[in-house]
Amino acid sequence: MRLGGAVSILKRLAYLAVVLWGVSLIAFGLFALAPGDPAEIILRDRQEAPSRESVAELRRELGLDDAVPLRYARWLGKTLKGDLGRSWQTGEPVAGELLARLGATLELALAAFGFVVICSTALGVVGAVYQGRAPDRLARAWSILSLSLPNFWLGLLLIMLLALHWGLLPLMGRGGLNHLIMPVLTLGLSIAAMQGRVLRASLLEVLGQDYVRFAHAKGLSRWAVLKRHVLKNALPPVVTMWGISLGHLLGGAVIVESIFSWPGLGKLAVDAILARDIPLVQGAVLFMALVFVLATQLADLAHQWLDPRLARGQGNQGNGRRD
Amino acid sequence: MAGVTKAFRQSAMARTGGLLLALLLAAGLAAPWLAPHDPLRTDLSQRLHPPSLDFPLGSDQLGRCVLSRVLFGARVSLFASLAASLLALGAGLLAGLAAGLGRPWLQALFKAALDIALAFPGFLLALVLAGALGPSLTSLVIGIAGASWPWWGRLARGLTLGAKEKEFVLGGRVSGVRGLRLIRRYIMPQIAPPILVAASLKTAWIILAMAGLGYLGLGAQPPTPEWGAMLQESRMYLVRAPWLMLAPGAAVTLSVLGFNLLAEGLRDAMQVKRARSW
Amino acid sequence: MKLLEVNGLTVSSPAGDLVRELSFSLEHGGALGLVGQSGAGKSLSALALCGLLPRPLRVRAGEIRLHGESIPPNDPQAWRGRRGGQIFLIFQSPASALDPVVKVGPQIAEALCETRGWHRERAQERARRLLETVALPASYAQRYPFELSGGMRQRVLIATALALRPQVLIADEPTTGLDPLNRMAVLDLLHRLRREHHTALIVISHDLRAVSALAPEILVMQHGSVVERGATSRVLARPAHAHTRELINALDLLGGRHA
């Protein structure tokens, strides 16, 4: 079994490598092949008029005249060494720019993640316990509504009411806890609603199982049944979802960071895309995809670890099956 | 398919969603007749009027009628979203079927392609694609479709793999039904209902993404009335002219709500049918 | 005073009655068989007797008395504290009655911790001994249910019953789906429980054989109603109701009656 574990880890790593290689192809290909001459863009960024000679010289300098596969190989080689190139706008190393923004994104992502976990648990448990009754309907209506609210609109509404109209919260930017409230709400509301639905479905599925009724038959208290059997069975799929949503949050909350001028990776990526600052876009995209892939993989591992059927390398034969 | 129609008739939620969508689409189609003004005509003497008889939803910073712009915006936003949705659905279905039914090497290839595409958070991929193609409505549609098809592909692949193993499908395969006939006769009828529900949910996401990217400045360029772009322009006037922000935001919300209600209602009705079988 | 008295128990779903007017009584150490085809309402009766009916099912009429005390049949609180120690139910399918993500030992032990207030270690140790009593290695306490066969899982359920030593034990299809050796072993264990701990048994089965080996008295159910009742030997020898004859004939055809 230990050997099987090692093989499965190797397989997983090999697969991860393939996926990341594909990611690098997309990150490189998209902008390298996109319309518009990078040399002209750079010259404009430097406030120089792009003459034919200066463009040609810059193209040579950047190696833009080489064949695409060669350019990709060169780029990949440097990337693997951690050299993501320099931003065309600022001339600073891309890796440094990314790291400088990491703290802000991390702060927002973790705060929103906490909010999502708490809210989705509350929504899911209320929905499952009061299935079909008023609290469940209310939770459901709330969920559908928050899933339908565009977060950029919600953000603007919050800014208008809480910051501008009542002056309760700071308008934008990063700072103390006050600054986190609106971005976290904007970011977390719909994700919490979605995960709450998943948790509710998962809980209901488990609550209807024979082993839950059998646990009651054994004389266990409600709380013991919930703790020892219901949550243990209902959590794994939810943990996976939580992991994926953490990946989404860490991957940069693009819109929310823009609305609230939050100096994180998402805002950096949008600004870079709009300015066609290709090295910066490539670096940001690569980084976000990497974080996202790692988060989903970790969620998957957590799921395997939580479910003994998967942990012991067996299928789920003979479970919950009625004859 | 009959099951879906029946589910639609049974669920009040699905009907509400359907009605909402029908109204919004009709409003978009009839915009030239419904709109009180030309959505593009600027008149600086009429700037930032609050809602009145002349401008039912007020006027914007260039004196354009907000109601007219929201109505014409429905054409842009909704039809672009539907186009992106259909494009992604078609591509994703094909990829999913290939990944579920094709020869082993084809299955492996498509599965890897799907996993690579799914390694990006959806919105980020749409943003990058649309950004690479340059800001225009077409590149927005392509970008969003390009970011959504893998999602469909994964769903269709999973459903196809499940459907393929059902006994009557195996029976059909043994008796020599192959290729398109197998897909049409055996696979599609099984995977269509869940795909329809998912289509509704995904279109809701696409409308959100479309308006979101429009808000970020990709997509339709001024002066085209597009809901997301209108929201971006309203930012400067949150206090002086809140109606600029309320109208397009509400339009996006209602459209998304319509698709979400439709999906939830259909799923409910179809689930109840299964649960009653005991 | 009777241990368990059931009068006119009627279980309903919104669509109609599923069990009608079930009445019987049971002494300490007594045994009763409940026979009928699947769908006759046997398992629902069992769930109702433990206050475990899944919504939207409920007890519409009738009375359940335990030690002479009437228990409100639809009140979950009233049953808590009685389940496990006083009345216990072994579920129909051992595959789904055991929690797939919890090891077998703790699933037995938790009953003791909760109903008797035992320490975890003591309960775990008892669980291991009980596994040996039902002829499983004590080390199986560390296994998950999916790592056991069907017969082993049924023994785990019985070990749980042995741990709880309930005054009333309802066994729902305890031998269904088991091979002959396992079937014998399970019947023997149930018999021992009754003899050694004075547990009153209610055995539910579609299989007259399993019931006749354990219960001196049986009720035959069809479509939710009791159609015949009496001493097991009499019912088997001179069935009065057509449905009982059907059940017996089916058994004869399979050549099982005297096996």
Side-chain angles (χ1 to χ4, degrees):
Chain A
M1 206 146 82
R2 206 163 280 165
L3 186 70
V7 168
S8 91
I9 287 177
L10 276 181
K11 263 189 179 167
R12 194 177 274 272
L13 284 177
Y15 202 68
L16 206 59
V18 171
V19 168
L20 287 177
W21 172 73
V23 167
S24 81
L25 266 186
I26 295 180
F28 172 81
L30 272 179
F31 272 80
L33 307 176
D37 187 342
E40 284 185 31
I41 299 170
I42 297 179
L43 288 175
R44 279 212 195 86
D45 279 343
R46 292 183 191 158
Q47 314 284 331
E48 293 172 29
S51 69
R52 188 171 298 160
E53 300 80 57
S54 60
V55 166
E57 203 205 332
L58 193 58
R59 283 187 68 88
R60 236 190 341 275
E61 209 176 289
L62 292 169
L64 287 175
D65 294 326
D66 295 332
V68 172
L70 184 63
R71 281 164 59 197
Y72 172 67
R74 204 160 47 208
W75 175 80
L76 189 64
K78 277 167 75 181
T79 302
L80 287 176
K81 274 183 262 162
D83 177 6
L84 293 170
R86 282 171 183 278
S87 159
W88 288 351
Q89 296 170 90
T90 60
E92 298 291 320
V94 168
E97 297 255 351
L98 292 179
L99 283 178
R101 301 294 192 102
L102 191 57
T105 286
L106 214 57
E107 178 186 328
L108 181 57
L110 290 179
F113 184 65
F115 175 81
V116 164
V117 168
I118 293 169
C119 273
S120 63
T121 308
L123 277 174
V125 170
V126 164
V129 170
Y130 296 97
Q131 186 202 1
R133 285 180 274 166
D136 180 29
R137 284 156 193 263
L138 208 66
R140 184 177 196 188
W142 170 261
S143 300
I144 295 181
L145 200 67
S146 28
L147 280 174
S148 303
L149 270 180
N151 55 10
F152 41 92
W153 195 43
L154 180 63
L156 291 181
L157 283 172
L158 289 176
I159 287 181
M160 184 175 90
L161 291 176
L162 298 180
L164 296 174
H165 206 268
W166 291 322
L168 295 175
L169 292 170
L171 185 56
M172 45 186 56
R174 188 179 175 208
L177 273 181
N178 275 349
H179 287 83
L180 268 172
I181 296 176
M182 290 196 296
V184 163
L185 274 179
T186 310
L187 198 52
L189 217 52
S190 64
I191 303 181
M194 198 157 52
Q195 317 260 307
R197 304 292 297 164
V198 175
L199 180 60
R200 174 184 177 275
S202 185
L203 282 172
L204 281 179
E205 160 119 25
V206 173
L207 282 171
Q209 297 288 326
D210 267 358
Y211 54 78
V212 170
R213 229 170 292 144
F214 188 64
H216 280 294
K218 281 191 279 195
L220 267 59
S221 68
R222 251 168 110 160
W223 171 239
V225 174
L226 192 72
K227 194 179 64 176
R228 299 184 56 100
H229 297 287
V230 178
L231 284 181
K232 243 186 180 156
N233 279 280
L235 274 184
V238 179
V239 167
T240 312
M241 286 286 291
W242 279 343
I244 292 173
S245 71
L246 183 61
H248 271 287
L249 292 170
L250 284 173
V254 178
I255 288 188
V256 173
E257 289 189 357
S258 293
I259 297 175
F260 295 101
S261 299
W262 190 267
L265 288 169
K267 180 143 173 43
L268 180 76
V270 176
D271 293 344
I273 286 171
L274 290 175
R276 298 190 85 77
D277 187 343
I278 294 172
L280 198 52
V281 175
Q282 284 170 338
V285 166
L286 212 53
F287 185 78
M288 288 172 166
L290 181 69
V291 169
F292 185 68
V293 170
L294 288 181
T296 33
Q297 288 291 317
L298 280 179
D300 210 33
L301 279 179
H303 187 174
Q304 294 218 351
W305 179 67
L306 285 171
D307 190 333
R309 283 162 294 185
L310 298 174
R312 297 213 176 177
Q314 311 236 354
N316 52 349
Q317 66 254 44
N319 276 296
R321 202 181 290 162
R322 270 185 177 279
D323 33 20
Chain B
M1 290 311 271
V4 176
T5 336
K6 198 165 157 229
F8 183 73
R9 264 186 271 126
Q10 274 173 359
S11 160
M13 203 189 281
R15 285 197 311 267
T16 314
L19 184 69
L20 200 55
L21 291 176
L23 285 177
L24 285 162
L25 282 174
L29 283 174
W33 297 277
L34 291 177
H37 298 274
D38 178 350
L40 302 181
R41 200 198 65 205
T42 59
D43 181 352
L44 292 179
S45 67
Q46 303 287 330
R47 294 181 70 224
L48 300 176
H49 275 303
S52 65
L53 275 181
D54 196 22
F55 295 107
L57 292 178
S59 69
D60 71 2
Q61 69 281 7
L62 298 175
R64 296 173 298 196
C65 167
V66 174
L67 175 65
S68 307
R69 287 181 67 73
V70 169
L71 283 172
F72 275 91
R75 298 187 140 195
V76 180
S77 300
L78 288 181
F79 290 110
S81 299
L82 287 178
S85 190
L86 285 178
L87 213 60
L89 178 61
L93 268 186
L94 282 182
L97 286 170
L101 293 174
R103 293 176 192 289
W105 64 267
L106 201 66
Q107 291 195 16
L109 187 73
F110 270 95
K111 182 170 185 307
L114 285 175
D115 279 325
I116 289 169
L118 285 166
F120 292 91
F123 189 77
L124 178 69
L125 188 55
L127 175 73
V128 174
L129 279 171
L133 294 171
S136 80
L137 196 59
T138 322
S139 63
L140 194 55
V141 169
I142 295 172
I144 286 183
S148 325
W149 73 268
W151 190 85
W152 283 115
R154 179 174 55 183
L155 183 70
R157 173 173 177 272
L159 290 170
T160 309
L161 287 178
K164 197 168 76 165
E165 298 309 321
K166 293 254 176 73
E167 272 167 31
F168 70 95
V169 179
L170 286 176
R173 274 149 62 98
V174 167
S175 56
V177 183
R178 291 264 184 282
L180 280 180
R181 225 170 100 79
L182 180 76
I183 292 174
R184 208 182 62 232
R185 289 271 307 276
Y186 291 91
I187 307 285
M188 279 319 273
Q190 282 190 75
I191 70 174
I195 291 238
L196 271 175
V197 171
S200 194
L201 282 179
K202 198 61 186 172
T203 310
W205 182 85
I206 284 180
I207 293 178
L208 282 178
M210 188 79 72
L213 292 173
Y215 175 86
L216 291 177
L218 297 141
Q221 295 303 301
T224 314
E226 193 271 335
W227 292 339
M230 289 172 73
L231 278 171
Q232 173 62 48
E233 291 166 17
S234 79
R235 279 194 63 114
M236 295 298 117
Y237 307 95
L238 286 181
V239 176
R240 272 173 70 197
W243 55 90
L244 288 185
M245 175 266 262
L246 290 175
V252 180
T253 307
L254 286 178
S255 320
V256 179
L257 188 65
F259 278 108
N260 277 337
L261 286 175
L262 187 63
E264 284 272 323
L266 285 181
R267 190 163 46 189
D268 258 15
M270 293 199 278
Q271 257 170 7
V272 167
K273 212 171 60 191
R274 234 179 296 140
R276 276 196 192 136
S277 63
W278 65 268
Chain C
M1 187 172 55
K2 300 276 191 188
L3 170 60
L4 175 67
E5 278 178 279
V6 176
N7 290 317
L9 186 75
T10 300
V11 177
S12 311
S13 78
D17 292 351
L18 300 171
V19 174
R20 271 175 235 101
E21 300 275 328
L22 177 68
S23 303
F24 64 86
S25 64
L26 203 56
E27 310 268 1
H28 275 286
L32 181 79
L34 210 55
V35 188
Q37 285 180 293
S38 34
K42 297 164 298 176
S43 297
L44 286 181
S45 309
L47 288 173
L49 288 174
C50 300
L52 285 173
L53 283 174
R55 276 194 301 163
L57 304 185
R58 57 186 206 95
V59 174
R60 190 173 63 77
E63 187 187 40
I64 301 169
R65 283 176 174 274
L66 208 58
H67 293 295
E69 188 188 343
S70 176
I71 307 172
N74 292 313
D75 177 6
Q77 285 314 312
W79 288 98
R80 228 171 274 291
R82 290 198 166 83
R83 280 195 293 252
Q86 295 184 18
I87 190 162
F88 181 54
L89 167 65
I90 294 183
F91 275 47
Q92 183 170 359
S93 121
S96 57
L98 292 170
D99 187 333
V101 304
V102 179
K103 287 175 185 162
V104 166
Q107 294 204 50
I108 300 174
E110 68 183 359
L112 289 167
C113 300
E114 279 283 320
T115 57
R116 306 260 170 86
W118 283 23
H119 271 293
R120 216 168 59 107
E121 287 76 26
R122 187 178 168 206
Q124 295 273 24
E125 187 48 37
R126 170 62 66 85
R128 293 164 66 84
R129 295 287 83 78
L130 285 169
L131 285 174
E132 286 174 341
T133 311
V134 298
L136 291 175
S139 61
Y140 277 29
Q142 294 304 312
R143 291 203 174 189
Y144 288 99
F146 66 86
E147 296 170 314
L148 304 181
S149 73
M152 294 175 180
R153 289 183 210 148
Q154 187 62 277
R155 289 169 197 233
V156 171
L157 295 195
I158 292 183
T160 315
L162 288 170
L164 285 163
R165 291 187 199 163
Q167 292 164 335
V168 181
L169 174 66
I170 309 173
D172 192 354
E173 302 282 6
T175 57
T176 304
L178 301 186
D179 60 73
L181 280 178
N182 266 311
R183 199 182 305 163
M184 286 300 293
V186 165
L187 289 178
D188 187 49
L189 283 166
L190 289 173
H191 203 67
R192 257 175 72 186
L193 197 67
R194 194 182 151 205
R195 205 177 53 228
E196 290 174 12
H197 303 300
H198 248 51
T199 295
L201 270 184
I202 300 176
V203 184
I204 295 177
S205 185
H206 64 273
D207 181 359
L208 275 162
R209 263 174 312 182
V211 174
S212 60
L214 286 168
E217 189 193 349
I218 59 174
L219 307 183
V220 181
M221 289 184 79
Q222 186 187 19
H223 306 316
S225 304
V226 174
V227 293
E228 179 161 8
R229 62 170 67 207
T232 309
S233 52
R234 197 276 299 160
V235 172
L236 279 176
R238 294 188 306 282
H241 194 273
H243 185 61
T244 317
R245 280 196 291 276
E246 276 172 21
L247 289 172
I248 294 173
N249 283 341
L251 203 58
D252 280 340
L253 276 178
L254 292 172
R257 184 170 165 194
H258 302 289

